[in-house]
Amino acid sequence: MFIDAHHHLWNLDAVEYPWLMAKGVERFFGDPAPIQKPYGVPEFRADMDGLTCVGSVHVQVGAAPGQEVAETRWLADQAQTYDLPSAIVAAADLASPDLPALLDAHKAVSARVRGVRHIVSRHASEDRPNEGAALLQSDAFQRGLQRLSDARLSFDLQLTPPLLEVVADVLMDFPDLDVALCHAGSPWDQTSDGLSRWRSGLDAIADLDRVTCKISGLGMFDRHWIPHSIAPIVRTVLEVFGADRTMWGSNFPVDSLYHDYAAMYEAVTELVPETARNGVFVETARTFYKLERVA
């Protein structure tokens, strides 16, 4: 029994997703061609192949500007029909002056909206130099963080390891904001030195007790992973955050490019000590995303 705390769904007829509609374009995570097709709850459940998913958290997936609420509206329809996703992390530009109106619009569409993801950085191949740090330190972005906090919405934070200490400093000014660090902080450099720098960044952000961490998206960083190769990532996250501040997400269907759903779920399950599994696979996500309040 588990909650999938980070996955994606999309409808190419209802919402415009530029990256999903661009043909022949290699992305930082690989060639998206195999997943450039509709993916709703029925397809998601089929990928689970009988596993017992008791809830899920949908994280925004790059809808075009102006299409953010359309994405939430379609997800609300999926939830009405299939009772998944249990929670919605919506798209919004935190630096936009129109943020308050957009947050109100998301919440008006669905009571399942729990937070926002604004991607700060993805990978060196796609990020502009210093852009992420400049964004984090900008007045406009920090006003957006305060607006999220005031609206009692959480922040799904996706960025790369060099920015972990920068964002830790920024988040100190927002002690009431709940933050979920996506994809374990994106440990792209898995050399000994790279993992050491990543660990230092995790330590810095974990000092903020309202920050949790997702074990998710591991296939993006190691497309040919085996349980042994992802073990250092899983164990480090648990050492730094503990089971009560760690949750698991499949990152499907993006991670379906590398392994099937059951293989990933079972591999991470085996790497998480039995005493920590209820926290990692159920309770952290249930508490963080307030799933008991799902209408």
Side-chain angles (χ1 to χ4, degrees):
M1 187 176 74
F2 64 93
I3 293 170
D4 188 332
H6 192 111
H7 73 91
H8 309 293
L9 306 168
W10 46 68
N11 181 341
L12 304 182
D13 294 323
V15 184
E16 180 184 353
Y17 307 93
W19 70 275
L20 271 172
M21 297 172 176
K23 302 299 183 182
V25 179
E26 185 86 1
R27 292 303 309 278
F28 67 98
F29 55 81
D31 181 2
I35 57 173
Q36 289 178 313
K37 57 188 178 182
Y39 192 82
V41 173
E43 291 80 9
F44 182 48
R45 284 184 167 149
D47 277 340
M48 291 181 198
D49 194 23
L51 293 172
T52 307
C53 176
V54 296
S56 79
V57 180
H58 181 277
V59 180
Q60 66 93 354
V61 67
Q67 293 277 294
E68 300 94 341
V69 177
E71 179 183 49
T72 297
R73 186 175 297 112
W74 178 72
L75 291 166
D77 290 343
Q78 290 283 290
Q80 180 68 30
T81 303
Y82 302 110
D83 202 31
L84 287 180
S86 313
I88 297 169
V89 177
D93 178 356
L94 293 188
S96 170
D98 299 325
L99 178 65
L102 181 55
L103 296 181
D104 287 345
H106 280 307
K107 291 165 75 174
V109 166
S110 176
R112 297 189 183 221
V113 172
R114 294 291 186 271
V116 160
R117 178 172 74 160
H118 177 152
I119 297 176
V120 176
S121 65
R122 295 176 173 87
H123 184 268
S125 66
E126 295 193 12
D127 299 337
R128 295 182 184 136
N130 303 317
E131 182 179 34
L135 175 65
L136 290 170
Q137 295 168 332
S138 70
D139 290 342
F141 186 83
Q142 293 184 27
R143 280 194 298 271
L145 292 176
Q146 188 60 57
R147 285 165 172 160
L148 273 188
S149 182
D150 292 343
R152 300 194 177 189
L153 293 171
S154 62
F155 178 37
D156 262 53
L157 170 64
Q158 183 173 333
L159 79 180
T160 49
L163 295 174
L164 284 168
E165 294 187 21
V166 177
V167 79
D169 287 340
V170 169
L171 291 174
M172 288 179 66
D173 291 333
F174 304 94
D176 297 324
L177 178 63
D178 292 329
V179 177
L181 180 62
C182 298
H183 307 328
S186 302
W188 286 105
D189 183 353
Q190 299 197 5
T191 64
S192 178
D193 286 346
L195 290 176
S196 178
R197 290 190 293 270
W198 165 70
R199 169 66 186 256
S200 294
L202 286 189
D203 286 336
I205 197 169
D207 283 343
L208 306 171
D209 60 11
R210 295 185 79 98
V211 177
T212 60
C213 187
K214 294 184 182 183
I215 297 173
S216 60
L218 301 186
M220 295 192 298
F221 318 121
D222 178 2
R223 298 179 195 179
H224 306 291
W225 67 264
I226 56 175
H228 176 75
S229 68
I230 63 173
I233 307 297
V234 174
R235 290 172 182 157
T236 297
V237 170
L238 284 172
E239 287 173 10
V240 174
F241 287 92
D244 60 341
R245 293 171 60 198
T246 300
M247 50 188 143
W248 175 79
S250 69
N251 198 40
F252 259 57
V254 176
D255 266 57
S256 70
L257 295 169
Y258 322 111
H259 285 77
D260 65 42
Y261 197 104
M264 175 160 286
Y265 171 72
E266 290 164 7
V268 177
T269 299
E270 289 300 312
L271 292 169
V272 173
E274 187 172 356
T275 55
R277 288 176 189 166
N278 188 53
V280 171
F281 291 101
V282 179
E283 287 305 321
T284 302
R286 188 194 303 279
T287 300
F288 185 89
Y289 288 108
K290 304 177 176 64
L291 298 190
E292 68 276 11
R293 299 180 192 173
V294 170

